[in-house]
Amino acid sequence: MRRQLRTHLAGIDGLHHLPATGSFVLVPNHRSYFDHFVMELLVGAAVGRPVWFLTKQESFEGALSRVWTKAWYGIPVDRHRPSPATLRAIQTVFAADEVLCVYPEGTRNVADEMLPFQAGAFRFALTAGVPVIPVALTGTESVLPKGSRRFRRGGRVRVSFGEPILPDMSKGKQHAAQQLSADTRAAIIGLLSTGCRAADGPATTGAVDDLVTAALDPEGRLAVADERRLRFVLRLLSSSGVRSVDLEVQRARLRGLAILRRPAPLRALPALSVRRRLERVLRADPANSLANYLLARWHLAMPAVLGGDPALAERLFALSARTAPGGDTRALAGLAEVQLADGRVEAAQATLQRIADTPAVAGSRAEARAARARLQLVTLADVVDPSQAGVLA
């Protein structure tokens, strides 16, 4: 099924609107059973959590159909009156910080105009206090038409994710549900009317960077399963026409993170290929902030015999810090490490203060980095002999 998605996906827009953490409700228009595969495979790979679907009760009546539907994260629902079991299943999805997908039209619709929306999707979002993500799908009916069990060749699918919509409870739950439904419908209509734009802009590449960063553990390591799903996201973006040096940087980053899982003696030679990739990117885009940062990390980690150069690392960290997006303090942290290792305490204190003073999103790695910088500043203030500061790196 992944191959089918790669073959038919022609465009992805708004990937940056998918929350990297926490539950949310996907609300797409519905034209084909292929919609399920797009949502499960693309969104599941992007956020690293399963996407569950409210599915008509009839799909669970036959043995083969029941096994298939459960395998694709179906939750049985009576479209007229959801049962307590359905409600408990939805609560379990949200409690696990997973994703719920609800087709508000209630059935597949190949007409130009969307059917009236049913209220279920919006009531679930209201009850759980999670955002709704409007989704516009086009072309899925050309891949798997209604009534067909075979994929057709040549169909081209485009998917656009809209901005998260949060419920406004100030006027009561009933009004909030109606407003949420109207706002979501308007958002989907707007996405359908504008079509899927090329996904090679800063927002998409920034989203990929955020997805990789969100998958790292506290020690900065990446699990094998997360590496695989994120590589799939990069392949989908490439298959849909994205050609960006930023995506090549992320490929190099994933390769480097995979190498870190190896025993130390087995890292050196594969790491040389990462260096070559990054240098190739920087020849095309010398000011690429993330490429400069990753190459600086490479030079800081590698021994001199393999080409590691702490002085070059410092220059690359400084260049990366100058061109980094607002709030990105990774390069500053690397710069402080070099300065502390070299015994330049006052320079390190100035750099750490910049990190501490940079606003950060609550719960983000940048916030944790700022907290560590403040702790180091307190520790450095007590250092009497600057030559001892290197032990703090």
Side-chain angles (χ1 to χ4, degrees):
M1 202 60 66
R2 285 187 165 201
R3 180 177 294 181
Q4 290 291 343
L5 183 57
R6 287 182 60 189
T7 298
H8 295 290
L9 192 60
I12 306 171
D13 186 39
L15 193 65
H16 57 290
H17 292 314
L18 295 178
T21 59
S23 293
F24 54 92
V25 179
L26 290 167
V27 181
N29 61 314
H30 192 20
R31 302 182 68 84
S32 165
Y33 276 133
F34 197 64
D35 300 342
H36 300 332
F37 306 135
V38 176
M39 292 294 95
E40 180 62 52
L41 294 176
L42 173 57
V43 177
V47 302
R49 288 161 282 152
V51 178
W52 296 83
F53 298 85
L54 290 187
T55 307
K56 60 184 180 181
Q57 185 70 48
E58 294 84 347
S59 297
F60 292 82
E61 293 176 353
L64 183 60
S65 176
R66 181 169 58 253
V67 171
W68 172 263
T69 305
K70 285 185 176 181
W72 284 95
Y73 298 94
I75 297 174
V77 62
D78 182 330
R79 287 181 284 190
H80 303 291
R81 187 180 181 86
S83 68
T86 297
L87 298 178
R88 286 194 298 271
I90 293 170
Q91 290 170 355
T92 300
V93 169
F94 291 143
D97 280 344
E98 295 173 349
V99 182
L100 181 68
C101 181
V102 184
Y103 300 106
E105 296 172 276
T107 188
R108 288 168 291 168
N109 170 38
V110 296
D112 291 335
E113 185 174 344
M114 284 190 295
L115 298 172
F117 279 11
Q118 299 182 18
F122 311 103
R123 289 176 180 164
F124 299 141
L126 285 171
T127 300
V130 300
V132 164
I133 307 295
V135 188
L137 291 165
T138 60
T140 51
E141 74 282 3
S142 66
V143 177
L144 190 61
K146 188 174 182 178
S148 175
R149 294 186 177 183
R150 305 187 69 174
F151 296 109
R152 293 185 177 179
R153 296 181 179 179
R156 305 300 286 163
V157 174
R158 296 179 181 274
V159 54
S160 297
F161 299 99
E163 295 182 10
I165 303 175
L166 289 166
D168 178 7
M169 300 294 290
S170 60
K171 296 183 180 179
K173 189 171 182 178
Q174 183 174 355
H175 179 273
Q178 293 172 348
Q179 190 61 52
L180 191 57
S181 175
D183 290 345
T184 305
R185 185 182 183 91
I188 296 174
I189 291 172
L191 292 170
L192 289 170
S193 64
T194 57
C196 179
R197 298 180 296 274
D200 57 353
T204 296
T205 52
V208 175
D209 186 44
D210 290 342
L211 293 173
V212 176
T213 300
L216 300 177
D217 68 16
E219 285 72 42
R221 302 300 179 94
L222 186 68
V224 174
D226 288 322
E227 180 203 346
R228 289 174 178 168
R229 68 174 177 83
L230 291 166
R231 285 191 182 281
F232 179 61
V233 172
L234 292 177
R235 286 197 293 270
L236 287 177
L237 289 169
S238 296
S239 299
S240 63
V242 175
R243 295 292 181 268
S244 169
V245 294
D246 292 310
L247 295 186
E248 181 60 27
V249 174
Q250 294 299 336
R251 292 188 189 95
R253 185 184 185 189
L254 290 178
R255 175 63 174 159
L257 290 166
I259 291 170
L260 285 177
R261 293 196 299 268
R262 299 186 179 193
L266 301 180
R267 296 176 188 172
L269 291 180
L272 294 174
S273 67
V274 175
R275 175 183 174 176
R276 288 192 294 269
R277 282 189 178 193
L278 294 170
E279 289 175 340
R280 186 166 57 246
V281 167
L282 289 171
R283 284 194 293 270
D285 182 11
N288 189 289
S289 178
L290 184 56
N292 278 303
Y293 169 77
L294 294 174
L295 188 56
R297 282 287 175 202
W298 190 96
H299 279 285
L300 204 57
M302 289 294 104
V305 69
L306 291 177
D309 184 347
L312 178 55
E314 181 173 6
R315 293 196 296 272
L316 292 169
F317 278 136
L319 177 57
S320 177
R322 287 197 298 271
T323 57
D328 187 344
T329 56
R330 286 175 289 190
L332 290 175
L335 186 60
E337 288 180 37
V338 175
Q339 292 164 338
L340 284 171
D342 200 33
R344 288 175 284 149
V345 177
E346 290 185 1
Q349 287 175 313
T351 303
L352 290 168
Q353 191 63 57
R354 289 175 62 188
I355 298 172
D357 292 342
T358 300
V361 176
S364 66
R365 295 180 73 87
E367 183 185 50
R369 197 177 299 119
R372 289 195 299 271
R374 295 185 189 99
L375 181 60
Q376 281 186 295
L377 285 168
V378 172
T379 305
L380 288 172
D382 296 331
V383 174
V384 177
D385 182 0
S387 65
Q388 299 176 13
V391 301
L392 299 173

PDB file of all heavy atoms in Angstrom, residues 27-30 54-56 58 77 79 102-109 114-121 146:
ATOM      1  N   VAL A  27     -10.347  15.939   9.800  1.00  0.00           N
ATOM      2  CA  VAL A  27     -11.677  16.040   9.200  1.00  0.00           C
ATOM      3  C   VAL A  27     -11.514  16.284   7.701  1.00  0.00           C
ATOM      4  O   VAL A  27     -11.394  17.428   7.258  1.00  0.00           O
ATOM      5  CB  VAL A  27     -12.503  17.165   9.863  1.00  0.00           C
ATOM      6  CG1 VAL A  27     -13.892  17.233   9.246  1.00  0.00           C
ATOM      7  CG2 VAL A  27     -12.617  16.930  11.372  1.00  0.00           C
ATOM      8  N   PRO A  28     -11.467  15.198   6.898  1.00  0.00           N
ATOM      9  CA  PRO A  28     -11.316  15.356   5.451  1.00  0.00           C
ATOM     10  C   PRO A  28     -12.656  15.259   4.718  1.00  0.00           C
ATOM     11  O   PRO A  28     -13.624  14.675   5.225  1.00  0.00           O
ATOM     12  CB  PRO A  28     -10.426  14.170   5.054  1.00  0.00           C
ATOM     13  CG  PRO A  28     -10.266  13.335   6.309  1.00  0.00           C
ATOM     14  CD  PRO A  28     -11.256  13.814   7.308  1.00  0.00           C
ATOM     15  N   ASN A  29     -12.687  15.791   3.497  1.00  0.00           N
ATOM     16  CA  ASN A  29     -13.756  15.409   2.586  1.00  0.00           C
ATOM     17  C   ASN A  29     -13.514  13.961   2.172  1.00  0.00           C
ATOM     18  O   ASN A  29     -12.405  13.441   2.307  1.00  0.00           O
ATOM     19  CB  ASN A  29     -13.789  16.341   1.368  1.00  0.00           C
ATOM     20  CG  ASN A  29     -12.502  16.296   0.562  1.00  0.00           C
ATOM     21  OD1 ASN A  29     -11.406  16.352   1.113  1.00  0.00           O
ATOM     22  ND2 ASN A  29     -12.631  16.186  -0.759  1.00  0.00           N
ATOM     23  N   HIS A  30     -14.556  13.282   1.680  1.00  0.00           N
ATOM     24  CA  HIS A  30     -14.454  11.822   1.493  1.00  0.00           C
ATOM     25  C   HIS A  30     -14.932  11.449   0.101  1.00  0.00           C
ATOM     26  O   HIS A  30     -16.125  11.556  -0.210  1.00  0.00           O
ATOM     27  CB  HIS A  30     -15.311  11.130   2.554  1.00  0.00           C
ATOM     28  CG  HIS A  30     -15.086   9.655   2.676  1.00  0.00           C
ATOM     29  ND1 HIS A  30     -13.948   9.023   2.214  1.00  0.00           N
ATOM     30  CD2 HIS A  30     -15.875   8.668   3.219  1.00  0.00           C
ATOM     31  CE1 HIS A  30     -14.029   7.731   2.478  1.00  0.00           C
ATOM     32  NE2 HIS A  30     -15.182   7.495   3.076  1.00  0.00           N
ATOM     33  N   LEU A  54     -13.508   6.290  12.366  1.00  0.00           N
ATOM     34  CA  LEU A  54     -14.872   5.871  12.644  1.00  0.00           C
ATOM     35  C   LEU A  54     -15.415   5.223  11.370  1.00  0.00           C
ATOM     36  O   LEU A  54     -15.448   5.848  10.307  1.00  0.00           O
ATOM     37  CB  LEU A  54     -15.736   7.061  13.044  1.00  0.00           C
ATOM     38  CG  LEU A  54     -15.429   7.682  14.414  1.00  0.00           C
ATOM     39  CD1 LEU A  54     -16.461   8.745  14.758  1.00  0.00           C
ATOM     40  CD2 LEU A  54     -15.400   6.622  15.502  1.00  0.00           C
ATOM     41  N   THR A  55     -15.819   3.964  11.475  1.00  0.00           N
ATOM     42  CA  THR A  55     -16.190   3.163  10.312  1.00  0.00           C
ATOM     43  C   THR A  55     -17.585   2.580  10.527  1.00  0.00           C
ATOM     44  O   THR A  55     -17.899   2.095  11.629  1.00  0.00           O
ATOM     45  CB  THR A  55     -15.174   2.021  10.106  1.00  0.00           C
ATOM     46  OG1 THR A  55     -13.853   2.581  10.073  1.00  0.00           O
ATOM     47  CG2 THR A  55     -15.434   1.292   8.807  1.00  0.00           C
ATOM     48  N   LYS A  56     -18.391   2.589   9.484  1.00  0.00           N
ATOM     49  CA  LYS A  56     -19.767   2.115   9.614  1.00  0.00           C
ATOM     50  C   LYS A  56     -19.811   0.687  10.152  1.00  0.00           C
ATOM     51  O   LYS A  56     -18.958  -0.151   9.831  1.00  0.00           O
ATOM     52  CB  LYS A  56     -20.489   2.200   8.273  1.00  0.00           C
ATOM     53  CG  LYS A  56     -19.869   1.378   7.157  1.00  0.00           C
ATOM     54  CD  LYS A  56     -20.601   1.595   5.850  1.00  0.00           C
ATOM     55  CE  LYS A  56     -19.966   0.763   4.715  1.00  0.00           C
ATOM     56  NZ  LYS A  56     -20.652   0.991   3.422  1.00  0.00           N
ATOM     57  N   GLU A  58     -21.519  -1.814   9.494  1.00  0.00           N
ATOM     58  CA  GLU A  58     -21.649  -2.899   8.524  1.00  0.00           C
ATOM     59  C   GLU A  58     -20.301  -3.472   8.085  1.00  0.00           C
ATOM     60  O   GLU A  58     -20.211  -4.625   7.668  1.00  0.00           O
ATOM     61  CB  GLU A  58     -22.427  -2.407   7.286  1.00  0.00           C
ATOM     62  CG  GLU A  58     -23.869  -2.040   7.557  1.00  0.00           C
ATOM     63  CD  GLU A  58     -24.051  -0.623   8.090  1.00  0.00           C
ATOM     64  OE1 GLU A  58     -23.037   0.003   8.476  1.00  0.00           O
ATOM     65  OE2 GLU A  58     -25.187  -0.136   8.106  1.00  0.00           O
ATOM     66  N   VAL A  77     -19.062   2.176  14.323  1.00  0.00           N
ATOM     67  CA  VAL A  77     -19.954   3.229  14.789  1.00  0.00           C
ATOM     68  C   VAL A  77     -21.300   3.119  14.081  1.00  0.00           C
ATOM     69  O   VAL A  77     -21.377   2.843  12.882  1.00  0.00           O
ATOM     70  CB  VAL A  77     -19.342   4.633  14.540  1.00  0.00           C
ATOM     71  CG1 VAL A  77     -19.127   4.905  13.062  1.00  0.00           C
ATOM     72  CG2 VAL A  77     -20.203   5.733  15.158  1.00  0.00           C
ATOM     73  N   ARG A  79     -23.962   5.208  12.642  1.00  0.00           N
ATOM     74  CA  ARG A  79     -23.931   6.602  12.188  1.00  0.00           C
ATOM     75  C   ARG A  79     -25.081   7.446  12.734  1.00  0.00           C
ATOM     76  O   ARG A  79     -25.039   8.667  12.701  1.00  0.00           O
ATOM     77  CB  ARG A  79     -23.920   6.642  10.656  1.00  0.00           C
ATOM     78  CG  ARG A  79     -22.589   6.224  10.076  1.00  0.00           C
ATOM     79  CD  ARG A  79     -22.560   6.284   8.569  1.00  0.00           C
ATOM     80  NE  ARG A  79     -23.274   5.168   7.955  1.00  0.00           N
ATOM     81  CZ  ARG A  79     -23.237   4.885   6.657  1.00  0.00           C
ATOM     82  NH1 ARG A  79     -22.548   5.652   5.827  1.00  0.00           N
ATOM     83  NH2 ARG A  79     -23.893   3.852   6.170  1.00  0.00           N
ATOM     84  N   VAL A 102     -12.381  11.467  11.141  1.00  0.00           N
ATOM     85  CA  VAL A 102     -13.830  11.376  10.959  1.00  0.00           C
ATOM     86  C   VAL A 102     -14.199  12.082   9.661  1.00  0.00           C
ATOM     87  O   VAL A 102     -13.802  13.231   9.443  1.00  0.00           O
ATOM     88  CB  VAL A 102     -14.593  12.022  12.137  1.00  0.00           C
ATOM     89  CG1 VAL A 102     -16.087  11.819  11.960  1.00  0.00           C
ATOM     90  CG2 VAL A 102     -14.134  11.445  13.466  1.00  0.00           C
ATOM     91  N   TYR A 103     -14.938  11.385   8.816  1.00  0.00           N
ATOM     92  CA  TYR A 103     -15.434  11.988   7.577  1.00  0.00           C
ATOM     93  C   TYR A 103     -16.798  12.618   7.861  1.00  0.00           C
ATOM     94  O   TYR A 103     -17.787  11.899   8.040  1.00  0.00           O
ATOM     95  CB  TYR A 103     -15.558  10.930   6.477  1.00  0.00           C
ATOM     96  CG  TYR A 103     -14.248  10.257   6.144  1.00  0.00           C
ATOM     97  CD1 TYR A 103     -13.998   8.952   6.553  1.00  0.00           C
ATOM     98  CD2 TYR A 103     -13.267  10.936   5.438  1.00  0.00           C
ATOM     99  CE1 TYR A 103     -12.791   8.327   6.246  1.00  0.00           C
ATOM    100  CE2 TYR A 103     -12.053  10.323   5.132  1.00  0.00           C
ATOM    101  CZ  TYR A 103     -11.832   9.020   5.547  1.00  0.00           C
ATOM    102  OH  TYR A 103     -10.634   8.416   5.243  1.00  0.00           O
ATOM    103  N   PRO A 104     -16.866  13.935   7.912  1.00  0.00           N
ATOM    104  CA  PRO A 104     -18.104  14.575   8.370  1.00  0.00           C
ATOM    105  C   PRO A 104     -19.273  14.433   7.398  1.00  0.00           C
ATOM    106  O   PRO A 104     -20.421  14.615   7.800  1.00  0.00           O
ATOM    107  CB  PRO A 104     -17.701  16.046   8.521  1.00  0.00           C
ATOM    108  CG  PRO A 104     -16.566  16.221   7.565  1.00  0.00           C
ATOM    109  CD  PRO A 104     -15.811  14.918   7.585  1.00  0.00           C
ATOM    110  N   GLU A 105     -18.987  14.095   6.134  1.00  0.00           N
ATOM    111  CA  GLU A 105     -20.087  13.879   5.190  1.00  0.00           C
ATOM    112  C   GLU A 105     -20.802  12.550   5.451  1.00  0.00           C
ATOM    113  O   GLU A 105     -21.920  12.341   4.971  1.00  0.00           O
ATOM    114  CB  GLU A 105     -19.568  13.897   3.756  1.00  0.00           C
ATOM    115  CG  GLU A 105     -19.003  15.249   3.343  1.00  0.00           C
ATOM    116  CD  GLU A 105     -18.321  15.183   1.990  1.00  0.00           C
ATOM    117  OE1 GLU A 105     -17.136  14.799   1.940  1.00  0.00           O
ATOM    118  OE2 GLU A 105     -18.982  15.526   0.985  1.00  0.00           O
ATOM    119  N   GLY A 106     -20.128  11.640   6.176  1.00  0.00           N
ATOM    120  CA  GLY A 106     -20.767  10.386   6.553  1.00  0.00           C
ATOM    121  C   GLY A 106     -20.656   9.279   5.533  1.00  0.00           C
ATOM    122  O   GLY A 106     -20.882   8.117   5.857  1.00  0.00           O
ATOM    123  N   THR A 107     -20.327   9.597   4.297  1.00  0.00           N
ATOM    124  CA  THR A 107     -20.202   8.604   3.244  1.00  0.00           C
ATOM    125  C   THR A 107     -19.365   9.182   2.120  1.00  0.00           C
ATOM    126  O   THR A 107     -19.089  10.391   2.091  1.00  0.00           O
ATOM    127  CB  THR A 107     -21.588   8.188   2.711  1.00  0.00           C
ATOM    128  OG1 THR A 107     -21.452   7.088   1.805  1.00  0.00           O
ATOM    129  CG2 THR A 107     -22.274   9.353   1.986  1.00  0.00           C
ATOM    130  N   ARG A 108     -18.955   8.323   1.190  1.00  0.00           N
ATOM    131  CA  ARG A 108     -18.184   8.814   0.045  1.00  0.00           C
ATOM    132  C   ARG A 108     -19.072   9.649  -0.866  1.00  0.00           C
ATOM    133  O   ARG A 108     -20.242   9.314  -1.088  1.00  0.00           O
ATOM    134  CB  ARG A 108     -17.590   7.637  -0.728  1.00  0.00           C
ATOM    135  CG  ARG A 108     -16.442   6.948  -0.022  1.00  0.00           C
ATOM    136  CD  ARG A 108     -16.099   5.634  -0.691  1.00  0.00           C
ATOM    137  NE  ARG A 108     -17.167   4.662  -0.492  1.00  0.00           N
ATOM    138  CZ  ARG A 108     -17.258   3.505  -1.149  1.00  0.00           C
ATOM    139  NH1 ARG A 108     -16.360   3.197  -2.065  1.00  0.00           N
ATOM    140  NH2 ARG A 108     -18.249   2.677  -0.888  1.00  0.00           N
ATOM    141  N   ASN A 109     -18.490  10.701  -1.370  1.00  0.00           N
ATOM    142  CA  ASN A 109     -19.253  11.648  -2.179  1.00  0.00           C
ATOM    143  C   ASN A 109     -18.374  12.131  -3.333  1.00  0.00           C
ATOM    144  O   ASN A 109     -17.344  12.767  -3.109  1.00  0.00           O
ATOM    145  CB  ASN A 109     -19.682  12.839  -1.309  1.00  0.00           C
ATOM    146  CG  ASN A 109     -20.266  13.971  -2.138  1.00  0.00           C
ATOM    147  OD1 ASN A 109     -20.978  13.731  -3.104  1.00  0.00           O
ATOM    148  ND2 ASN A 109     -19.946  15.202  -1.756  1.00  0.00           N
ATOM    149  N   MET A 114     -19.769  19.368  -1.385  1.00  0.00           N
ATOM    150  CA  MET A 114     -19.772  18.469  -0.244  1.00  0.00           C
ATOM    151  C   MET A 114     -21.179  18.299   0.319  1.00  0.00           C
ATOM    152  O   MET A 114     -22.004  19.218   0.260  1.00  0.00           O
ATOM    153  CB  MET A 114     -18.838  18.998   0.849  1.00  0.00           C
ATOM    154  CG  MET A 114     -17.367  18.793   0.549  1.00  0.00           C
ATOM    155  SD  MET A 114     -16.302  19.157   1.972  1.00  0.00           S
ATOM    156  CE  MET A 114     -16.606  20.924   2.170  1.00  0.00           C
ATOM    157  N   LEU A 115     -21.425  17.106   0.900  1.00  0.00           N
ATOM    158  CA  LEU A 115     -22.691  16.831   1.567  1.00  0.00           C
ATOM    159  C   LEU A 115     -22.754  17.594   2.891  1.00  0.00           C
ATOM    160  O   LEU A 115     -21.727  18.067   3.394  1.00  0.00           O
ATOM    161  CB  LEU A 115     -22.822  15.334   1.824  1.00  0.00           C
ATOM    162  CG  LEU A 115     -22.840  14.423   0.592  1.00  0.00           C
ATOM    163  CD1 LEU A 115     -22.788  12.957   1.016  1.00  0.00           C
ATOM    164  CD2 LEU A 115     -24.077  14.696  -0.246  1.00  0.00           C
ATOM    165  N   PRO A 116     -23.949  17.736   3.467  1.00  0.00           N
ATOM    166  CA  PRO A 116     -24.038  18.369   4.795  1.00  0.00           C
ATOM    167  C   PRO A 116     -23.185  17.612   5.804  1.00  0.00           C
ATOM    168  O   PRO A 116     -23.073  16.388   5.764  1.00  0.00           O
ATOM    169  CB  PRO A 116     -25.539  18.252   5.127  1.00  0.00           C
ATOM    170  CG  PRO A 116     -26.216  18.154   3.801  1.00  0.00           C
ATOM    171  CD  PRO A 116     -25.280  17.392   2.919  1.00  0.00           C
ATOM    172  N   PHE A 117     -22.580  18.369   6.720  1.00  0.00           N
ATOM    173  CA  PHE A 117     -21.721  17.766   7.735  1.00  0.00           C
ATOM    174  C   PHE A 117     -22.547  17.203   8.886  1.00  0.00           C
ATOM    175  O   PHE A 117     -23.520  17.817   9.327  1.00  0.00           O
ATOM    176  CB  PHE A 117     -20.745  18.799   8.290  1.00  0.00           C
ATOM    177  CG  PHE A 117     -19.538  19.021   7.420  1.00  0.00           C
ATOM    178  CD1 PHE A 117     -19.469  18.500   6.137  1.00  0.00           C
ATOM    179  CD2 PHE A 117     -18.462  19.753   7.888  1.00  0.00           C
ATOM    180  CE1 PHE A 117     -18.354  18.702   5.339  1.00  0.00           C
ATOM    181  CE2 PHE A 117     -17.333  19.960   7.106  1.00  0.00           C
ATOM    182  CZ  PHE A 117     -17.283  19.438   5.829  1.00  0.00           C
ATOM    183  N   GLN A 118     -22.133  16.047   9.375  1.00  0.00           N
ATOM    184  CA  GLN A 118     -22.701  15.501  10.596  1.00  0.00           C
ATOM    185  C   GLN A 118     -21.901  16.005  11.793  1.00  0.00           C
ATOM    186  O   GLN A 118     -20.739  16.386  11.660  1.00  0.00           O
ATOM    187  CB  GLN A 118     -22.697  13.973  10.530  1.00  0.00           C
ATOM    188  CG  GLN A 118     -23.533  13.434   9.367  1.00  0.00           C
ATOM    189  CD  GLN A 118     -23.573  11.920   9.317  1.00  0.00           C
ATOM    190  OE1 GLN A 118     -23.265  11.240  10.297  1.00  0.00           O
ATOM    191  NE2 GLN A 118     -23.946  11.386   8.167  1.00  0.00           N
ATOM    192  N   ALA A 119     -22.509  15.965  12.956  1.00  0.00           N
ATOM    193  CA  ALA A 119     -21.941  16.668  14.116  1.00  0.00           C
ATOM    194  C   ALA A 119     -20.904  15.872  14.891  1.00  0.00           C
ATOM    195  O   ALA A 119     -20.171  16.428  15.712  1.00  0.00           O
ATOM    196  CB  ALA A 119     -23.070  17.069  15.072  1.00  0.00           C
ATOM    197  N   GLY A 120     -20.796  14.546  14.628  1.00  0.00           N
ATOM    198  CA  GLY A 120     -19.976  13.688  15.479  1.00  0.00           C
ATOM    199  C   GLY A 120     -18.543  14.136  15.653  1.00  0.00           C
ATOM    200  O   GLY A 120     -18.032  14.212  16.781  1.00  0.00           O
ATOM    201  N   ALA A 121     -17.886  14.435  14.532  1.00  0.00           N
ATOM    202  CA  ALA A 121     -16.467  14.798  14.596  1.00  0.00           C
ATOM    203  C   ALA A 121     -16.241  15.972  15.529  1.00  0.00           C
ATOM    204  O   ALA A 121     -15.256  16.007  16.290  1.00  0.00           O
ATOM    205  CB  ALA A 121     -15.955  15.136  13.199  1.00  0.00           C
ATOM    206  N   LYS A 146     -15.448   4.654  -6.399  1.00  0.00           N
ATOM    207  CA  LYS A 146     -16.504   4.046  -5.596  1.00  0.00           C
ATOM    208  C   LYS A 146     -17.039   2.813  -6.309  1.00  0.00           C
ATOM    209  O   LYS A 146     -17.356   2.848  -7.502  1.00  0.00           O
ATOM    210  CB  LYS A 146     -17.622   5.059  -5.358  1.00  0.00           C
ATOM    211  CG  LYS A 146     -18.677   4.594  -4.364  1.00  0.00           C
ATOM    212  CD  LYS A 146     -19.660   5.708  -4.065  1.00  0.00           C
ATOM    213  CE  LYS A 146     -20.696   5.278  -3.019  1.00  0.00           C
ATOM    214  NZ  LYS A 146     -21.632   6.374  -2.679  1.00  0.00           N
TER     215      LYS A 146
END
